[in-house]
Amino acid sequence: MTSPEKPGLARRLAAMLYDSLLILPLIMLLVALATGLQAGLGALTGNDVNNMRLHPQLVQLLVVLAISGFYSGFWRLQGQTLGMQAWRIQLRGPDGARPTISRCLLRCCCALLSLLPLGMGFWWCLFDRNKRCWHDYLSATEMYLLPKKQV
């Protein structure tokens, strides 16, 4: 029996590009809600609403939460994001089933580590015989290429 095929870096990046089209509006919505909440609280306390800005670290936190929540939610529920569905990629845990929520969150944190050294953790799959990135190894998860659907 042959082992399932693994997606390469180009397919993974294409799926991430598709997903970014969904994540960016989510980030904008979260920042808009936080800005509105801050303005509302500022108006209640009598502060000048026109001079209020969100703290940059709060915006960064919202971005990380949006991305982590998006990926972890989709991975836990379906094993795939919408971009992964389009590119026939599925994430599985060490037992071959959908990963647990803790494993999904760990994968998100490890993916940040993979990005830090100029994306070296992602480039790693080009040279790895199992086509796995650093965050695949660190989170004990694996990406699989699903077969084409017969029509």
Side-chain angles (χ1 to χ4, degrees), residues 30-108:
L30 287 175
V31 170
L33 289 173
T35 302
L37 182 64
Q38 183 178 14
L41 291 174
L44 287 175
T45 59
N47 291 331
D48 183 13
V49 178
N50 294 325
N51 292 329
M52 296 182 74
R53 293 190 181 137
L54 286 181
H55 197 278
Q57 278 73 31
L58 176 60
V59 174
Q60 290 173 349
L61 177 64
L62 290 173
V63 168
V64 168
L65 290 176
I67 293 171
S68 298
F70 175 87
Y71 279 105
S72 295
F74 272 103
W75 288 336
R76 178 63 194 127
L77 294 175
Q78 301 174 344
Q80 297 175 294
T81 62
L82 296 175
M84 291 168 70
Q85 288 175 24
W87 287 93
R88 299 182 298 118
I89 301 171
Q90 186 177 48
L91 180 71
R92 297 181 192 163
D95 57 356
R98 284 190 314 257
T100 62
I101 192 66
S102 59
R103 197 167 298 278
C104 292
L105 291 170
L106 175 63
R107 181 179 172 83
C108 287

Side-chain angles (χ1 to χ4, degrees), residues 6-19 80-90 144-148:
K6 306 295 171 62
L9 182 61
R11 188 175 287 268
R12 287 175 180 240
L13 293 176
M16 288 170 56
L17 178 64
Y18 274 42
D19 289 335
Q80 297 175 294
T81 62
L82 296 175
M84 291 168 70
Q85 288 175 24
W87 287 93
R88 299 182 298 118
I89 301 171
Q90 186 177 48
Y144 291 93
L145 185 60
L146 300 175
K148 290 182 181 180

